[in-house]
Amino acid sequence: MAKAKEVSKKEKVDVDLTGIKDELKEYVDLQIKKGFNEELEKANKRLIREKNKKIIFKNITIIILLALVCFLLFLLYKANYFNKYFTNDNVVSENVVEKTEKEKVEEKEEVTLQTLINQYSYLLDNIYIDENSIYISDYYNGKLTNEIKSYIALNNLGSEHIDNVEDYNMFSEDNFKETYLKIFNDFENVSFDYNGNKIRYLSMMNSYISNALITNNGTNIKREIVDIKVGDNIVITTVEGLVIDNKLYNITDNAEILDYNNEDLNKYKNVLNKVVYTFKDGKLINIGK
């Protein structure tokens, strides 16, 4: 009987140990699963946070780019860049009156002429004649004779090159020729009249001598450039009139035009003298009507 009891106790112990093992195994399985789930949840949260960061960064980048595009479009709008794509011929501004095509063309021509005047008007600075000269009629009829060229050259000869000899003057051919060739492209020694003063060329002395003392009274002739054409030659067209005591006259017939107060001569071009000057390489080669 004692032996039977010992066997029964042993079997009971074995049963209890098996139950404990099963409980331990179940507990370990639960803990492992719980830990795995917690780590998996943490990993998911980290993944979601990283995705959210990327989404936020992407959205911020898009917003910045959109703001930059809007700013550039605003700058283009302020610069009227889009006007050429949005024209409406039927809409007229209440505050702005559009210039006609004719006015635009005239304005463009005026600006172009003024630019040319600024560039080429100096060519006429040394070309002038006294209204009392015996050559006045020939000059305004387009005759550029050697006498007229010599007359114009003497207008530009510096006083330091003119010698006073009692009641007359002398100047050398060399100095005169140098001045002459700054204005014209050819040279010929001739005797000529200078406002009533006879200027004679003396070949034996290579000099010019006057009948009386030379005086340069300038001129009362006023000119206004009305056209310039630029090509192989520079062609300058002027309107010219004689102004004495605030009165305007036609130069060749002395007809009085009106009282003159510095108006544009071009307004009276039909009753004044028109002259066409042609220059080549900066030298006057022709005058015409």
Side-chain angles (χ1 to χ4, degrees):
M1 290 293 292
K3 189 176 180 177
K5 286 183 179 179
E6 288 176 1
V7 170
S8 178
K9 287 181 179 179
K10 184 179 179 181
E11 290 177 352
K12 185 177 181 181
V13 169
D14 289 337
V15 170
D16 291 338
L17 287 172
T18 300
I20 291 170
K21 287 180 180 179
D22 291 337
E23 288 179 358
L24 286 172
K25 182 179 179 181
E26 183 178 354
Y27 175 78
V28 170
D29 289 339
L30 287 173
Q31 291 301 317
I32 291 172
K33 184 181 291 186
K34 182 178 179 181
F36 176 79
N37 289 336
E38 287 177 353
E39 291 300 322
L40 181 61
E41 184 176 356
K42 289 179 181 179
N44 285 333
K45 287 181 178 179
R46 284 196 297 270
L47 182 61
I48 290 171
R49 281 198 301 271
E50 290 299 321
K51 286 184 176 181
N52 287 340
K53 287 180 180 179
K54 291 181 179 180
I55 291 171
I56 292 172
F57 178 79
K58 183 178 181 181
N59 289 341
I60 291 174
T61 302
I62 291 172
I63 291 171
I64 292 173
L65 290 175
L66 286 173
L68 182 60
V69 169
C70 291
F71 178 71
L72 292 175
L73 289 172
F74 174 76
L75 292 180
L76 290 173
Y77 171 77
K78 292 292 287 184
N80 298 319
Y81 177 80
F82 300 107
N83 286 359
K84 57 185 177 182
Y85 302 111
F86 301 95
T87 57
N88 187 345
D89 295 333
N90 297 320
V91 176
V92 179
S93 172
E94 293 179 359
N95 299 320
V96 180
V97 178
E98 287 291 334
K99 294 182 179 179
T100 65
E101 288 301 318
K102 181 179 179 181
E103 288 173 331
K104 291 178 181 178
V105 170
E106 289 176 348
E107 183 179 45
K108 183 177 180 181
E109 289 177 349
E110 183 179 350
V111 171
T112 302
L113 176 60
Q114 187 57 53
T115 300
L116 293 173
I117 289 173
N118 293 340
Q119 189 171 358
Y120 296 108
S121 63
Y122 76 93
L123 293 170
L124 293 174
D125 288 347
N126 297 325
I127 311 299
Y128 65 93
I129 187 171
D130 189 280
E131 64 272 15
N132 296 314
S133 171
I134 64 171
Y135 304 121
I136 196 74
S137 179
D138 286 345
Y139 183 92
Y140 282 98
N141 280 291
K143 297 178 182 179
L144 189 59
T145 63
N146 289 326
E147 288 79 6
I148 291 176
K149 291 179 182 179
S150 295
Y151 176 99
I152 293 172
L154 184 52
N155 279 337
N156 292 275
L157 183 64
S159 59
E160 68 275 13
H161 298 306
I162 301 175
D163 296 324
N164 294 324
V165 183
E166 296 182 356
D167 58 351
Y168 63 93
N169 296 110
M170 291 184 65
F171 51 90
S172 72
E173 176 187 350
D174 290 340
N175 288 332
F176 184 68
K177 182 177 180 179
E178 182 181 356
T179 300
Y180 188 108
L181 290 176
K182 289 179 181 178
I183 306 170
F184 307 102
N185 60 4
D186 58 356
F187 176 76
E188 182 178 342
N189 284 308
V190 295
S191 297
F192 59 97
D193 185 274
Y194 190 76
N195 301 329
N197 192 344
K198 190 67 176 179
I199 311 296
R200 291 182 175 86
Y201 173 66
L202 304 178
S203 58
M204 64 183 66
M205 298 178 62
N206 293 324
S207 298
Y208 288 82
I209 185 170
S210 67
N211 279 352
L213 293 175
I214 296 172
T215 57
N216 185 341
N217 297 321
T219 182
N220 290 307
I221 294 173
K222 180 179 177 65
R223 66 163 59 110
E224 181 177 315
I225 297 174
V226 295
D227 185 50
I228 297 179
K229 289 183 172 59
V230 179
D232 293 336
N233 299 327
I234 307 299
V235 181
I236 303 177
T237 302
T238 66
V239 172
E240 305 190 12
L242 178 61
V243 179
I244 298 177
D245 297 330
N246 294 322
K247 291 187 181 295
L248 179 63
Y249 301 87
N250 180 287
I251 299 169
T252 52
D253 63 16
N254 291 319
E256 183 177 336
I257 309 302
L258 77 166
D259 290 337
Y260 181 71
N261 293 304
N262 290 320
E263 295 94 343
D264 291 339
L265 293 180
N266 196 31
K267 294 179 180 179
Y268 313 105
K269 61 183 178 181
N270 294 330
V271 290
L272 292 177
N273 305 88
K274 184 179 81 170
V275 186
V276 180
Y277 299 89
T278 302
F279 294 86
K280 183 177 182 64
D281 299 326
K283 309 291 182 66
L284 181 63
I285 61 172
N286 187 56
I287 56 175
K289 298 175 64 176

